[in-house]
């Protein structure tokens, strides 16, 4: 069994408007996932440094960031980052440029977890429905162009309020969705903006949104998770 998770951590600023990276890390530790896709992982202004200090991640969790070779001090690419357990082997990673009016990107990594290879994509899509669909197509094209064909996991904040339409149609062509439930707003979730999508060679054993007391305060989004196994 492999657990994956996705979390729009809002730059470690909670619903109390306080920046508390320790609280964000508490939520990540609660998830106990093998791979976590983060959105809004870097500060927005200045040097765009990681909102989670590297030392804090190293000393107070079992995670390590997937190295993305971006700017010094940053954990992500346009706010997107991937964390994996320290024992997980990172085989490859790339930055995915997305079409948009404002800078947007996605991150992709091939990882090996207990002998199982996965191709993982983390994303934070546009507020515009037209650009979301274009970005979904760009991500799928990048996946198809990569060598090899390991099982795929795509996750992140899709900003899609539709239940089945919009960019969900593009992703659903060859992937299925984990039923994680509503994740926004964290205090009173009313919509599924955050999604986990997997290729047909994976099955979702269990999934959900993480509703701990810490998660309800640490961001305006709840983290979502899914337990995966190879399809029969």
């Amino acid at each position: 069994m492999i657990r994956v998770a996705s979390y729009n951590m809002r730059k470690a600023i909670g619903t109390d408007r306080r920046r508390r990276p320790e609280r964000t890390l508490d939520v990540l530790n609660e998830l106990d996932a093998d791979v976590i896709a983060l959105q809004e992982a870097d500060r927005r202004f200045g040097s765009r440094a990681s909102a989670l200090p590297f030392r804090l991640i190293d000393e107070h969790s079992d995670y390590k960031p997937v190295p993305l070779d971006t700017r010094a001090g940053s954990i992500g690419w346009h706010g997107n980052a991937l964390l994996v357990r320290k024992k997980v082997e990172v085989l490859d990673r790339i930055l995915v440029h997305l079409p948009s009016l404002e800078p947007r990107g996605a991150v992709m990594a091939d990882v090996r977890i207990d002998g199982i290879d996965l191709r993982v994509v983390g994303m934070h899509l546009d507020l515009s429905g037209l650009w979301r669909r274009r970005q979904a197509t760009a991500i799928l094209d990048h996946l198809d162009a990569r060598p090899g064909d390991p099982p795929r996991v795509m996750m992140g904040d899709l900003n899609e309020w539709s239940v089945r339409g919009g960019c969900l149609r593009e992703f659903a062509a060859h992937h299925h969705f984990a039923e994680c439930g509503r994740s926004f707003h964290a205090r009173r979730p009313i919509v599924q903006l955050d999604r986990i999508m997997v290729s047909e060679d994976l099955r979702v054993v269990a999934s959900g949104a993480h509703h701990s007391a810490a998660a309800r305060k640490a961001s305006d989004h709840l983290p979502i998770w899914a337990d995966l196994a190879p399809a029969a």
Side-chain angles (χ1 to χ4, degrees):
M1 194 83 67
I2 293 173
R3 173 165 287 194
V4 300
S6 179
Y7 191 24
N8 184 331
M9 53 175 276
R10 200 194 185 195
K11 308 172 191 66
I13 299 173
T15 53
D16 56 3
R17 300 185 181 180
R18 296 180 180 179
R19 189 188 302 276
R20 293 184 56 192
E22 299 88 353
R23 178 171 57 187
T24 302
L25 197 62
D26 287 342
V27 175
L28 298 179
N29 286 329
E30 289 174 355
L31 289 169
D32 195 28
D34 298 290
V35 183
I36 303 176
L38 298 176
Q39 302 88 51
E40 300 192 22
D42 289 337
R43 293 172 181 255
R44 185 173 183 180
F45 301 109
S47 65
R48 306 285 179 91
S50 173
L52 290 175
F54 286 85
R55 178 187 57 81
L56 194 68
I57 298 172
D58 183 54
E59 295 179 1
H60 297 282
S61 80
D62 188 37
Y63 294 113
K64 62 182 180 182
V66 171
L68 296 173
D69 299 329
T70 57
R71 67 181 68 203
S74 170
I75 195 177
W77 166 246
H78 296 304
N80 294 286
L82 295 171
L83 296 182
V84 296
R85 290 191 192 275
K86 291 177 180 176
K87 67 177 182 178
V88 170
E89 185 179 358
V90 179
L91 306 175
D92 194 13
R93 75 276 188 195
I94 65 168
L95 307 178
V96 181
H97 295 265
L98 297 181
S100 63
L101 292 176
E102 61 175 326
R104 289 273 179 178
V107 291
M108 186 183 305
D110 289 353
V111 298
R112 182 167 292 154
I113 305 169
D114 295 330
I116 298 175
D117 290 356
L118 288 181
R119 180 160 290 163
V120 181
V121 180
M123 68 187 80
H124 190 181
L125 300 189
D126 206 277
L127 294 173
S128 161
L130 173 61
W131 286 106
R132 282 197 300 272
R133 292 192 294 274
R134 291 174 177 174
Q135 290 162 3
T137 298
I139 289 168
L140 294 168
D141 287 346
H142 272 87
L143 279 166
D144 291 340
R146 297 293 295 168
D149 190 28
R152 303 172 173 185
V153 179
M154 299 184 293
M155 47 189 172
D157 179 356
L158 271 55
N159 267 319
E160 181 60 71
W161 288 65
S162 170
V163 177
R164 296 183 181 84
C167 68
L168 303 183
R169 291 196 188 97
E170 278 78 12
F171 288 122
H174 299 290
H175 301 81
H176 52 276
F177 290 77
E179 294 296 332
C180 297
R182 299 169 180 174
S183 57
F184 182 82
H185 187 279
R187 286 181 173 174
R188 188 179 180 184
I190 60 172
V191 67
Q192 288 181 273
L193 297 184
D194 305 281
R195 301 277 185 163
I196 296 174
M197 304 160 284
V198 302
S199 53
E200 296 171 350
D201 44 7
L202 290 171
R203 62 186 178 94
V204 179
V205 178
S207 58
H210 184 66
H211 286 267
S212 74
R216 288 192 293 271
K217 294 180 180 178
S219 172
D220 57 350
H221 288 246
L222 294 173
I224 58 172
W225 58 272
D227 290 336
L228 308 176

